[in-house]
């Protein structure tokens, strides 16, 4: 469920937008199993030059669960998104821009109830 009160609409100044979604019990979002402590997820979409400097990690998908577990793929943070990763992404973005292609960066961050409380979200 998207929480409209926490939505940040796109603006040309900010070059990004954000939505926050409440997760159903069990922490599955769009078929992806998030960490157990996640109660919400923030999704940010915007220009790579704005979002790239703020990225701190990358997600990877694990396969579905073992017998008797959820079949949803599990999303996990696998490593830091370091300067080398950012340089690669910037080069790829530049190559696409040279071909008049537009690139958007999509970021997701699971939020626990405690993180929401500390950030003043309801």
């Amino acid at each position: 469920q998207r929480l409209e009160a926490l939505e940040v609409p796109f603006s040309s100044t900010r070059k990004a937008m954000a939505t926050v979604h409440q997760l159903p019990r069990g922490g599955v979002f769009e078929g992806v199993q998030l960490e157990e402590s996640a109660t919400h997820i923030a999704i940010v979409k915007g220009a790579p030059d704005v979002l790239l400097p703020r990225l701190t990690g990358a997600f990877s998908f694990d396969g579905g669960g073992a017998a008797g577990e959820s079949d949803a793929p599990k999303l996990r943070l696998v490593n830091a998104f370091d300067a080398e990763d950012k340089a690669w992404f910037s080069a790829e973005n530049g190559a696409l821009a040279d071909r008049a292609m537009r690139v958007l960066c999509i970021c997701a961050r699971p939020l626990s109830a405690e993180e929401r409380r500390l950030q003043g979200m309801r």
Side-chain angles (χ1 to χ4, degrees), residues 22-92:
Q22 184 174 357
L23 298 173
R25 204 172 279 270
V28 176
F29 180 73
E30 295 297 324
V32 175
Q33 177 68 55
L34 301 171
E35 56 203 43
E36 286 185 29
S37 63
T39 59
H40 291 72
I41 187 167
I43 306 292
V44 180
K45 174 177 70 172
D49 62 307
V50 171
L51 298 180
L52 217 69
R54 297 180 174 160
L55 296 182
T56 59
F59 287 106
S60 177
F61 286 101
D62 286 340
E69 293 182 9
S70 167
D71 288 335
K74 291 185 171 44
L75 192 63
R76 65 183 176 90
L77 186 61
V78 290
N79 62 349
F81 197 78
D82 60 20
E84 184 178 327
D85 295 320
K86 290 178 184 180
W88 175 86
F89 193 102
S90 290
E92 290 295 311

Side-chain angles (χ1 to χ4, degrees), residues 64 67 99 105 108:
R99 295 184 3 221
C105 190

